[in-house]
């Protein structure tokens, strides 16, 4: 589904990504972790072309992201993305947030879009909030809406860029629950996150990054049981003690 | 002070006979309003376009927009007015220039004044629009693109609606400025409010009454604009967002 092949990127002289290679198969859940500044967010933003890269190739569902002939808007319409800071559109109601792209990008009828929106809001447990504005919801609620907004486009895969990092601790679980459910339903997911509990529960593979390189790309069990690199061992030792 | 106050002067028939002096003032107010409003509409539209161009990821377009802004905000308004009124008609193709010069002088004055105020103000509006767009959280653009919007759709549905809400207060100042700046247009003979005040002084020799009336008229106009924009701001307020309840 997502193939990342030898991708490199730099900002001026600073090498952000070096020869990153990994893939996410259909129905697979891959968690990307690593210390901050290791390039995880940059890598996931390369997948839907929000960040350009200089070398290598990324293919999503058979379409090359770096190819200048690719219409990125079309590709992105079917790749859902959830951001650290939710990024709901503040001047639209929750329902409008869920329907605007269905109407303007997919060309759906209003009734159909609202039906789909309502369905997804119910699913993330926010059916009663449709007419509120993002600023009137808690962080956890906003992030669930953001997930629903991405799902409303019927994506072939979902990208999560640290979806719980900006949340109060007590709101993290409501978002992880939605993500877990999604994973269990067979959604293809690539998640940048530090939630190792979530990784243990639903991930098939874990990718560990450091200094712009993919240091480790293992099945979940192998990663947690005996990480092959010293750096990953240190990282796990630090964050698993909490 | 031996000044002879005479507020009744406004009700006297004017020197030209067809109207009272109050009628002159009212026609001045009408001209100022027509000029400022039409220039404001153009300034808003042009300013929005140029302001957006300043933020797009294209060096050619943003460079053009930048040059536009620097040109129109760095030349004194009065000089720009003279260029529009005296110089530009000479630079037009001869036939067009002649047609313009043979048209009704009031039309000539009005068009020059309107374009001058509109473009001068549009450069300032463009800067407000740019700062509004740049003050949005960076992730908003990414979120809109990530959901499949093209760049124009991203501006249209996500960035501009919020950017314009953020810049209502500075836009209010620009609206007030355009009304005040329109007084400059009396220098090319356009009979707007300030010109009518001067004419009144010339004919009646009552300077205090004339300019007190002019002052009050500007104050009244600007108060209306202020309340109007306050209403717009309240209506556009986003529930749960900064600055609202």
């Amino acid at each position: 589904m997502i193939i990342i092949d030898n991708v490199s990127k730099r900002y001026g002289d600073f090498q952000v990504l070096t020869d990153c290679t990994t893939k996410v198969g259909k129905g697979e859940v891959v968690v990307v972790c690593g210390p901050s500044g290791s390039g995880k967010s940059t890598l996931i933003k390369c997948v839907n072309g929000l960040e350009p890269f200089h070398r290598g190739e990324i293919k999503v569902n058979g379409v090359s992201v770096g190819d200048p002939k690719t219409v990125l808007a079309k590709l992105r319409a079917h790749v859902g993305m959830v951001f650290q800071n939710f990024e709901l559109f503040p001047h639209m109601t929750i329902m409008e947030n869920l329907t605007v792209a269905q109407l303007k990008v997919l060309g759906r009828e209003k009734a159909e879009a609202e039906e789909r929106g309502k369905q997804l809001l119910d699913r993330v447990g926010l059916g009663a909030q449709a007419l509120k504005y993002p600023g009137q919801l808690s962080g956890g609620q906003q992030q669930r809406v953001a997930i629903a907004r991405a799902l409303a486009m019927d994506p072939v895969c979902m990208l999560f860029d640290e979806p719980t990092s900006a949340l109060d601790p007590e709101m993290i679980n409501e978002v992880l629950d939605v993500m877990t459910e999604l994973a269990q339903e067979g959604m293809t997911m690539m998640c940048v996150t530090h939630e190792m509990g979530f990784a243990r529960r639903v991930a098939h593979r874990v990718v560990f990054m450091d200094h712009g390189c993919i240091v480790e790309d293992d099945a979940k069990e192998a990663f947690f049981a005996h990480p092959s690199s010293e750096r990953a061992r240190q990282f796990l030792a630090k964050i698993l003690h909490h | 002070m031996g000044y002879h106050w005479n507020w009744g002067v406004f009700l006297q028939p004017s020197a030209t006979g067809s109207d009272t002096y109050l009628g002159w003032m009212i026609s001045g107010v009408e001209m100022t309003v027509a000029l400022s409003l039409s220039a404001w509409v153009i300034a808003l539209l042009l300013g929005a376009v140029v302001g957006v161009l300043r933020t797009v990821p294209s060096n050619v377009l943003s460079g053009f927009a930048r040059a536009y802004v620097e040109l129109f905000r760095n030349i004194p308004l009065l000089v720009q007015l003279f260029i529009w009124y005296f110089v530009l008609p000479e630079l037009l193709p001869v036939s067009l220039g002649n047609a313009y010069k043979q048209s009704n002088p009031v039309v000539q004055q009005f068009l020059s004044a309107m374009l001058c105020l509109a473009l001068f103000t549009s450069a300032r509006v463009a800067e407000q629009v740019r700062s509004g767009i740049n003050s949005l959280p960076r992730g908003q653009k990414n979120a809109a693109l990530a959901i499949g919007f093209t760049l124009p759709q991203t501006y249209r549905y996500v960035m501009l609606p919020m950017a314009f809400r953020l810049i209502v207060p500075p836009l209010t100042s620009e609206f007030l400025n355009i009304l005040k700046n329109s007084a400059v247009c009396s220098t090319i003979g356009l009979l707007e409010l300030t010109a009518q005040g001067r004419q009144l002084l010339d004919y009646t020799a009552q300077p205090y009454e004339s300019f007190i009336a002019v002052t009050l008229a500007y104050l009244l106009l600007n108060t209306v604009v202020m309340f109007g924009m306050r209403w717009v701001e309240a209506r556009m307020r986003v529930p749960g967002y900064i600055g609202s309840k």
Side-chain angles (χ1 to χ4, degrees):
Chain A
M1 182 64 71
I2 301 172
I3 299 169
I4 300 173
D5 186 15
N6 263 310
V7 168
S8 296
K9 174 183 175 67
R10 59 194 142 65
Y11 288 115
D13 285 340
F14 181 63
Q15 190 82 25
V16 203
L17 297 175
T18 311
D19 298 328
C20 293
T21 300
T22 186
K23 64 178 175 30
V24 183
K26 189 166 167 51
E28 210 176 10
V29 177
V30 171
V31 163
V32 181
C33 61
S36 48
S38 60
K40 324 175 284 286
S41 282
T42 309
L43 181 67
I44 203 169
K45 283 188 182 123
C46 285
V47 172
N48 64 353
L50 286 180
E51 290 275 1
F53 47 93
H54 299 94
R55 257 187 325 147
E57 188 175 37
I58 296 180
K59 277 192 171 173
V60 178
N61 215 11
V63 181
S64 170
V65 178
D67 186 343
K69 287 198 288 287
T70 300
V71 181
L72 282 175
K74 228 173 205 161
L75 176 100
R76 289 169 183 149
H78 296 291
V79 177
M81 186 156 193
V82 175
F83 297 84
Q84 183 174 353
N85 293 312
F86 334 134
E87 304 300 352
L88 296 177
F89 308 135
H91 58 293
M92 299 181 194
T93 63
I94 299 306
M95 184 51 88
E96 286 165 348
N97 264 279
L98 264 75
T99 55
V100 64
Q102 293 187 66
L103 300 172
K104 307 296 175 189
V105 176
L106 301 181
R108 284 184 184 155
E109 295 294 325
K110 190 159 187 239
E112 187 192 353
E114 287 187 343
E115 178 59 38
R116 184 86 180 108
K118 193 167 169 352
Q119 223 176 350
L120 285 164
L121 272 187
D122 285 338
R123 181 176 161 176
V124 298
L126 295 170
Q129 319 287 344
L131 296 179
K132 287 197 178 160
Y133 284 82
Q136 297 169 312
L137 301 189
S138 72
Q141 290 175 322
Q142 288 190 54
Q143 194 62 299
R144 279 142 70 197
V145 172
I147 296 174
R149 177 176 71 176
L151 291 175
M153 302 296 283
D154 295 324
V156 294
C157 59
M158 290 281 287
L159 309 173
F160 292 85
D161 185 6
E162 304 208 24
T164 55
S165 301
L167 292 175
D168 288 343
E170 54 185 327
M171 292 175 182
I172 290 178
N173 279 334
E174 59 187 78
V175 171
L176 289 180
D177 286 345
V178 171
M179 289 171 63
T180 303
E181 208 184 296
L182 204 56
Q184 283 161 353
E185 283 167 18
M187 175 62 81
T188 307
M189 292 164 64
M190 182 168 173
C191 314
V192 172
T193 181
H194 292 137
E195 298 297 334
M196 289 301 127
F198 170 77
R200 273 180 201 263
R201 237 179 5 255
V202 299
H204 297 102
R205 285 195 359 264
V206 178
V207 169
F208 178 77
M209 293 184 72
D210 191 27
H211 292 298
C213 299
I214 291 182
V215 181
E216 202 139 342
D217 184 351
D218 283 330
K220 164 182 63 177
E221 297 78 10
F223 179 78
F224 286 114
H226 35 80
S228 53
S229 69
E230 182 56 29
R231 189 68 188 85
R233 256 195 299 278
Q234 285 172 2
F235 180 79
L236 280 180
K238 272 183 198 148
I239 65 172
L240 288 184
H241 278 304
H242 291 289
Chain B
M1 188 171 84
Y3 188 76
H4 177 67
W5 289 92
N6 177 16
W7 287 102
V9 69
F10 289 105
L11 298 176
Q12 289 168 15
S14 71
T16 50
S18 58
D19 204 350
T20 60
Y21 287 116
L22 183 64
W24 283 14
M25 295 298 298
I26 290 171
S27 92
V29 168
E30 286 168 357
M31 183 60 91
T32 290
V33 169
L35 178 65
S36 306
L37 269 186
S38 55
W40 177 243
V41 170
I42 301 173
L44 258 188
L45 294 175
L46 261 180
V49 172
V50 174
V52 165
L53 288 185
R54 282 216 62 178
T55 64
V56 298
S58 150
N59 290 337
V60 178
L61 290 177
S62 64
F64 164 80
R66 187 179 182 123
Y68 178 97
V69 168
E70 298 306 342
L71 179 71
F72 285 104
R73 74 170 181 181
N74 286 322
I75 300 172
L77 181 60
L78 186 61
V79 175
Q80 290 192 33
L81 181 65
F82 287 169
I83 291 175
W84 281 105
Y85 187 61
F86 295 116
V87 182
L88 220 66
E90 306 298 330
L91 300 179
L92 292 172
V94 180
S95 58
L96 199 65
N98 284 340
Y100 179 76
K101 283 179 245 170
Q102 280 155 17
S103 67
N104 183 339
V106 178
V107 172
Q108 290 181 40
Q109 290 160 353
F110 188 86
L111 279 181
S112 301
M114 179 183 78
L115 287 174
C116 171
L117 282 176
L119 271 66
F120 177 80
T121 309
S122 73
R124 303 175 54 94
V125 170
E127 283 302 279
Q128 308 293 1
V129 170
R130 179 180 70 102
S131 72
I133 291 172
N134 286 343
S135 67
L136 298 174
R138 278 200 58 74
Q140 285 281 298
K141 182 179 172 187
N142 274 348
L145 290 173
I147 208 161
F149 281 139
T150 60
L151 191 62
Q153 284 178 322
T154 297
Y155 275 96
R156 161 75 181 77
Y157 297 116
V158 177
M159 292 164 77
L160 285 178
M162 276 317 288
F164 268 103
R165 283 176 169 85
L166 293 177
I167 62 169
V168 171
L171 282 184
T172 304
S173 303
E174 292 306 330
F175 200 166
L176 298 176
N177 276 342
I178 212 170
L179 264 159
K180 291 178 283 179
N181 286 340
S182 70
V184 165
C185 302
S186 62
T187 54
I188 59 168
L190 187 73
L191 284 175
E192 42 66 77
L193 186 52
T194 302
Q196 291 288 13
R198 271 176 30 196
Q199 194 169 236
L200 205 74
L201 162 64
D202 289 343
Y203 281 89
T204 63
Q206 297 286 350
Y208 290 179
E209 291 85 344
S210 305
F211 278 93
I212 287 171
V214 167
T215 304
L216 289 178
Y218 276 118
L219 265 177
L220 183 72
L221 288 178
N222 277 343
T223 308
V224 171
V225 168
M226 238 172 51
F227 278 105
M229 292 297 274
R230 215 173 270 176
W231 177 80
V232 169
E233 195 180 348
R235 276 212 46 156
M236 295 284 99
R237 197 161 282 171
V238 174
Y241 203 67
I242 308 157
S244 69
K245 288 169 231 156

